[in-house]
Amino acid sequence: MITRICHTLAALALTASTAAAAQCGNTSAGFDAWKSAFAQEAAAAGVGPRGQQALAAAQYSQGTINADRKQTGVRYSLSEFMRIRGTDAIARIGKQKKNANPNFYAGLERNYGVPAGILLAIHGMESGFGNTFGKYRVISSIATVAYDCRRSAFFTDHLLAALGMVDNGWLDPNAIGAAHGEVGHTQFLPGNVIRYGQDGNGDGRVDLYNVTDAMASTANFLRQKGWQPGQPYQEGTSNFRVLNEWNAATVYQQAIALTAAQIDG
């Protein structure tokens, strides 16, 4: 079931790249007209009634645009970044979570080769262990940046993936996420849910708001990007370089590796 749905949703993204694009814009003025045009593209790509309803209900997210325009990269030193992100607390809580459920994390490492420390450090950094998923409506956010001319090509595939997820019950149409539509415990973009998502709890869905699915999906993402089981992950190693696939900021990668070592230690 999961394999079939993944193939169906992946086809949506492929179709999007060949479909005639709806007219992008740089203000809210053309958003409703763009939605009407994009709805036809989505239908041609296989998006069904629930996905179409979610698209129709999407609203232009000025907050998403404001956040997008303010992106400047991470400019803190490593020590400042770790202090601001609270990595000491993440390491402490992460170790508690690992000790409370050792079989779960051992199983993930056995299946994917990624140790608990890395997964828990990412979980803590991305959503505060599920305490903060974001404050934006996922479909509205992704629709907004898919419409916006600045990065329309990149986000169109993610919007189609999100609408397909709504169709198949993987994503609540009113789900809340981060500014660009990242979802769940480890803040995947919808296209990455399709490519790397795992049904960790065996319920027939890939739900990144479920911690079991999110941890399995994160482990699978890293493994598919080249993670080497049983190998070190500190700076200078091949596994550390894989962290660049998760986040391009060097201080983020360093913070993950250092925090993970405290959890695993």
Side-chain angles (χ1 to χ4, degrees):
M1 176 67 171
I2 289 298
T3 300
R4 180 178 64 78
I5 292 174
C6 281
H7 287 167
T8 300
L9 297 184
L12 296 178
L14 181 62
T15 305
S17 65
T18 59
Q23 183 62 49
C24 68
N26 293 313
T27 71
S28 62
F31 185 64
D32 287 340
W34 173 87
K35 280 200 304 178
S36 296
F38 191 82
Q40 298 177 41
E41 295 179 25
V47 172
R50 286 187 292 184
Q52 290 283 356
Q53 289 168 10
L55 176 63
Q59 297 181 340
Y60 186 83
S61 175
Q62 188 61 52
T64 289
I65 294 299
N66 293 344
D68 188 66
R69 298 295 186 265
K70 289 178 181 176
Q71 285 188 321
T72 58
V74 179
R75 301 187 179 184
Y76 299 111
S77 68
L78 176 59
S79 60
E80 289 174 319
F81 181 78
M82 293 182 72
R83 177 183 59 80
I84 291 167
R85 297 303 292 263
T87 56
D88 285 344
I90 290 172
R92 174 175 51 80
I93 296 168
K95 182 168 285 191
Q96 291 171 354
K97 288 185 175 294
K98 177 183 176 181
N99 291 338
N101 203 354
N103 291 335
F104 171 65
Y105 291 102
L108 289 173
E109 184 165 10
R110 188 164 55 248
N111 290 335
Y112 302 101
V114 182
I118 290 291
L119 299 176
L120 285 161
I122 289 173
H123 192 192
M125 292 273 281
E126 294 290 350
S127 70
F129 300 105
N131 289 314
T132 308
F133 292 135
K135 61 180 181 180
Y136 301 87
R137 290 193 179 275
V138 170
I139 299 300
S140 290
S141 292
I142 299 181
T144 298
V145 283
Y147 157 72
D148 187 69
C149 291
R150 182 167 178 255
R151 286 197 283 172
S152 181
F154 177 79
F155 280 104
T156 292
D157 287 355
H158 288 295
L159 175 57
L160 281 172
L163 297 176
M165 288 166 63
V166 171
D167 267 336
N168 288 285
W170 290 15
L171 182 69
D172 188 303
N174 296 311
I176 299 298
H180 292 81
E182 301 92 336
V183 301
H185 284 270
T186 50
Q187 301 286 274
F188 271 47
L189 282 169
N192 286 336
V193 179
I194 304 308
R195 295 181 187 96
Y196 306 105
Q198 297 287 288
D199 177 18
N201 64 1
D203 67 353
R205 302 164 60 236
V206 176
D207 177 8
L208 270 288
Y209 293 91
N210 174 277
V211 69
T212 302
D213 287 5
M215 292 291 96
S217 298
T218 304
N220 185 55
F221 175 95
L222 294 172
R223 181 63 184 271
Q224 295 301 320
K225 293 296 186 179
W227 190 274
Q228 297 298 308
Q231 298 301 307
Y233 51 71
Q234 291 304 320
E235 194 166 6
T237 66
S238 61
N239 279 342
F240 182 84
R241 288 191 289 276
V242 173
L243 296 177
N244 183 66
E245 300 287 342
W246 186 266
N247 189 298
T250 300
V251 290
Y252 191 104
Q253 299 159 26
Q254 292 170 324
I256 289 294
L258 291 170
T259 304
Q262 293 182 64
I263 295 169
D264 285 333

